[in-house]
Amino acid sequence: MLDVLPVFAGDERISRLFTLVPGSDFGADALSTIDALGGRTVPWSEAGGHAYDLVVVASPKGELSLLRGPQVLLPHGAGFNKSIPGEGSADSASGLDPAYLRRNHDPIALHALAHPEQIARLAATNPRAARHAKVIGDPTLERVLASASLRERYRAALGTGARELLVLASTWGPESLIRRHPGLPARLAAHLPYDTYQLALVVHPNERALLGTYELRERLAPALDSGMILADPREEWASVLIAADALVTDHGSAALYYCAAQDRPVVSVHHTGGELIPGSPMDVLLRGVPQLGRAEDIVDALRAYRPGPARTAARLAFAQHGEAAGLLRTEVYALLGLTPPAHRVAPRLLPPPAPATRMPAAFDVRVEATAEGVRISRHPAGTGPPGHHLAVEHGAADERLARSAGLLYRRPLPASAAPVDLAWTADGWTRHALTAYPNCRSAAVLLPSGRCLLRVRGHARTYAVQVEPLPEEGRIVRLDPVVALSAVHAWLVSPQPCPAGPTRLSCLVGERAFRVIFRPATPTEEAQAIQQMI
């Protein structure tokens, strides 16, 4: 609804009021969303006591005949892919169900649909209703397509960087991803290397409303603690789909918006059930993409995707690309008997999404020495088997983890506004850390300059560590220096002679190889404060 109402923007003749039709198990969050936006709401008990110039509804369900005024029905979701067992007509698509469309005494003045095939489906079961249906397009899709060029901005907001963003999309109900595979987000977070993949989850608003955001976050705690993003259900879900590199989906229609914007890998976790309608756009998509069995097979499943099914499914779900807002405004103003405003109506760009609220600060680091260099694979601590060493950020992780760390590191503190400031030097803090944490093999600090200083227990000298950026197809890839510290730490604690001068090391992360240089640190570097300067 909020994607559609901007067709009236800038018109002082129009006042917008909201009401909630009773009977839904998922309505509480709808009113709270409107309240948060400052929208004016009318209780349902009062809504039927007035006449309106136009009634815009997002579902044919409920006692809509009590609302007086010409009605415009706007479907939510994409493609009419599901039937809801035990609700309405058997095997009828939710949203096109004649059992609900016939309940109004007067026909819908305008049934705005996204594709001609949807009118044909409506006409097959309800010819009277089909006479008032028109292909308008999908206003939500228009926002997605208009915002496609903001992909890099969305990825920057999410902190994705050079990682692959894997989005899980869950519809609602007993056949949804979140119900049938509740442990999948945590298993993927444990299996996929943190520096190669980023995870996000899009959950249907109905499921969030049923559980509540607090309950949902508690159920997803292991994955969220590993850095997974839980997208907001109003607008953020769509900007996250634009940012995505790959999608794991059930039979929910969010996948069709992803497919319409880009033809990138899609993997299905929908196997059987009575909700998916044969021949629907989602059915076409899911029959053409790889199926995911175990979470550990995700990389192979993504590689098995072949371009084509995504575009095909999107063409079956959406028509009139780029015209939905204009077509809808023409139709609704005709029903109002008003001339539309002179200014152009355009889709509103999607806002940047919010980053993860919980970031891991301790990692089990798996190390593999190869002919090409040292391969590093980091996984949030405790999500899988222990690695070569535990790397822990001091001041950000649980103290129990810090006392078990093989590599303890510290990032620069923000600049202090204290009138008389106090800050550790790099040499001072690394000496202090090895004294305070007797089980720690190495202590390191990240200096404001971007260079690191590393002290290894039993070594007479400290080491300055620097990782070089990697040119890649006209762009620059930068590695978190902490990853390079793990590579140097593994090299230095191995049984080999200590380097007397500069040493080059190749740090392998995923498919990339970063050049790391470490050497004995200078007294000036050791004396540098590990705090940003004002």
Side-chain angles (χ1 to χ4, degrees):
M1 189 73 75
L2 293 172
D3 289 342
V4 167
L5 290 181
V7 299
F8 301 109
D11 192 339
E12 72 281 358
R13 299 169 295 177
I14 305 295
S15 296
R16 287 147 284 264
L17 300 173
F18 297 87
T19 192
L20 181 65
V21 182
S24 172
D25 294 330
F26 315 108
D29 285 0
L31 286 179
S32 63
T33 298
I34 299 302
D35 288 341
L37 294 171
R40 294 284 301 278
T41 58
V42 178
W44 179 254
S45 59
E46 299 178 14
H50 304 277
Y52 303 94
D53 297 300
L54 195 68
V55 178
V56 183
V57 297
S59 169
K61 300 175 184 178
E63 297 298 330
L64 299 178
S65 59
L66 298 179
L67 299 176
R68 290 182 289 157
Q71 293 187 9
V72 175
L73 175 58
L74 303 165
H76 60 278
F80 299 103
N81 306 290
K82 294 170 59 175
S83 63
I84 309 302
E87 182 179 283
S89 307
D91 301 325
S92 182
S94 181
L96 293 179
D97 193 332
Y100 293 104
L101 292 173
R102 290 175 182 147
R103 291 178 68 173
N104 276 350
H105 298 300
D106 298 318
I108 297 290
L110 171 65
H111 193 165
L113 295 171
H115 196 280
E117 185 270 343
Q118 296 167 7
I119 295 182
R121 290 167 67 184
L122 181 61
T125 58
N126 194 338
R128 181 169 176 259
R131 289 196 292 269
H132 298 274
K134 291 186 178 181
V135 177
I136 299 298
D138 188 302
T140 300
L141 176 67
E142 299 304 311
R143 296 192 71 190
V144 171
L145 296 179
S147 304
S149 63
L150 279 68
R151 172 178 162 83
E152 289 192 13
R153 178 170 295 186
Y154 298 156
R155 291 172 66 86
L158 292 168
T160 305
R163 295 180 292 176
E164 291 190 36
L165 175 57
L166 177 62
V167 176
L168 285 70
S170 176
T171 187
W172 64 281
E175 296 180 21
S176 64
L177 181 153
I178 202 69
R179 297 272 197 98
R180 285 196 167 180
H181 310 281
L184 181 60
R187 290 196 297 272
L188 288 173
H191 174 69
L192 294 171
Y194 181 81
D195 301 305
T196 310
Y197 290 92
Q198 182 184 35
L199 285 181
L201 175 63
V202 170
V203 178
H204 193 285
N206 281 2
E207 205 66 32
R208 292 182 71 127
L210 186 67
L211 294 173
T213 297
Y214 172 79
E215 177 66 20
L216 181 62
R217 287 188 174 276
E218 288 301 301
R219 294 188 182 192
L220 295 169
L224 295 174
D225 289 341
S226 296
M228 185 182 76
I229 292 155
L230 180 60
D232 182 84
R234 188 188 148 219
E235 295 177 305
E236 191 172 285
W237 67 272
S239 52
V240 167
L241 289 182
I242 292 172
D245 294 294
L247 183 74
V248 176
T249 186
D250 52 22
H251 59 307
S253 62
L256 293 172
Y257 292 107
Y258 169 86
C259 293
Q262 54 201 353
D263 193 350
R264 293 189 170 94
V266 182
V267 171
S268 168
V269 292
H270 181 78
H271 298 289
T272 58
E275 293 185 356
L276 182 61
I277 295 177
S280 65
M282 272 305 299
D283 181 52
V284 170
L285 175 66
L286 297 182
R287 283 192 282 110
V289 303
Q291 286 275 343
L292 178 64
R294 304 180 311 145
E296 293 75 14
D297 298 328
I298 180 62
V299 174
D300 290 338
L302 294 173
R303 288 174 179 167
Y305 177 80
R306 296 294 177 267
R311 293 297 190 197
T312 299
R315 284 195 296 268
L316 293 173
F318 305 113
Q320 303 289 14
H321 290 185
E323 302 178 35
L327 289 172
L328 183 61
R329 184 164 76 161
T330 298
E331 295 292 339
V332 295
Y333 271 89
L335 292 173
L336 288 167
L338 296 175
T339 301
H343 64 265
R344 175 178 173 266
V345 59
R348 292 180 179 172
L349 299 180
L350 295 162
T357 55
R358 283 134 68 172
M359 302 294 291
F363 296 91
D364 283 311
V365 184
R366 301 170 192 174
V367 177
E368 179 187 2
T370 72
E372 292 78 24
V374 177
R375 178 166 297 281
I376 297 295
S377 177
R378 298 195 304 166
H379 300 260
T383 60
H388 172 273
H389 62 271
L390 181 66
V392 179
E393 180 179 353
H394 186 268
D398 189 320
E399 177 68 7
R400 290 171 298 176
L401 291 171
R403 295 202 172 277
S404 301
L407 169 63
L408 190 66
Y409 62 91
R410 179 168 174 168
R411 296 185 186 273
L413 291 176
S416 171
V420 182
D421 193 20
L422 180 69
W424 284 103
T425 65
D427 179 69
W429 187 82
T430 54
R431 289 181 184 276
H432 162 75
L434 292 181
T435 300
Y437 297 91
N439 293 324
C440 181
R441 296 288 303 276
S442 297
V445 295
L446 281 69
L447 300 173
S449 64
R451 189 173 288 119
C452 304
L453 191 136
L454 175 71
R455 182 182 296 278
V456 181
R457 190 180 299 277
H459 286 221
R461 62 190 67 182
T462 56
Y463 302 93
V465 180
Q466 187 166 8
V467 57
E468 297 183 354
L470 180 67
E472 186 176 275
E473 298 178 352
R475 295 184 289 184
I476 300 287
V477 183
R478 293 184 175 89
L479 182 67
D480 184 350
V482 169
V483 185
L485 281 173
S486 277
V488 176
H489 163 82
W491 196 93
L492 289 173
V493 299
S494 62
Q496 53 186 319
C498 299
T503 301
R504 287 175 172 79
L505 183 67
S506 184
C507 180
L508 310 176
V509 180
E511 301 298 320
R512 297 182 172 97
F514 296 88
R515 190 165 74 164
V516 179
I517 301 174
F518 64 99
R519 54 170 174 76
T522 66
T524 300
E525 290 169 329
E526 292 178 334
Q528 189 170 345
I530 53 173
Q531 185 171 359
Q532 302 285 353
M533 302 299 292
I534 295 178

